[in-house]
Amino acid sequence: MARFTRIDVIIRMRDAGINSIFYHKDPEVCRNVIRACHKGGVKIFEFTNRGDYAHELFSDLNKWAEKEIPGLMMGVVL
């Protein structure tokens, strides 16, 4: 089951006024960018599917974010 409902995501997107969209092949760079965005007030983050095995990287980042930044909504743009 998803951590957030579709309605929760839509509401968060509307309320945020900004949608961060990002990709980098290095997971540490991704974690640092996600952390910095969250500290800056971003509560929803989109990861783009631009590189080889991006879906695997997103899976790892999503698991990391669930533990490290529990309220952050992570999504993927295909």
Side-chain angles (χ1 to χ4, degrees), residues 2-6 8-9 12 70-74:
R3 289 182 9 216
F4 303 101
T5 68
R6 289 180 181 184
D8 291 336
V9 172
R12 177 83 55 96
L72 179 69
M73 289 181 178
M74 292 278 291

Side-chain angles (χ1 to χ4, degrees), residues 27-39:
E28 191 59 29
V29 169
C30 292
R31 285 190 286 272
N32 289 336
V33 168
I34 292 167
R35 244 189 242 108
C37 287
H38 187 260
K39 285 182 181 179

Side-chain angles (χ1 to χ4, degrees), residues 24-66:
H24 196 281
K25 65 180 180 179
D26 183 335
E28 191 59 29
V29 169
C30 292
R31 285 190 286 272
N32 289 336
V33 168
I34 292 167
R35 244 189 242 108
C37 287
H38 187 260
K39 285 182 181 179
V42 173
K43 306 299 182 205
I44 188 164
F45 197 93
E46 289 284 339
F47 189 74
T48 61
N49 186 14
R50 290 190 183 157
D52 293 336
Y53 307 106
H55 63 287
E56 293 176 10
L57 177 57
F58 173 74
S59 178
D60 292 341
L61 290 170
N62 198 32
K63 291 172 188 169
W64 165 82
E66 185 175 8

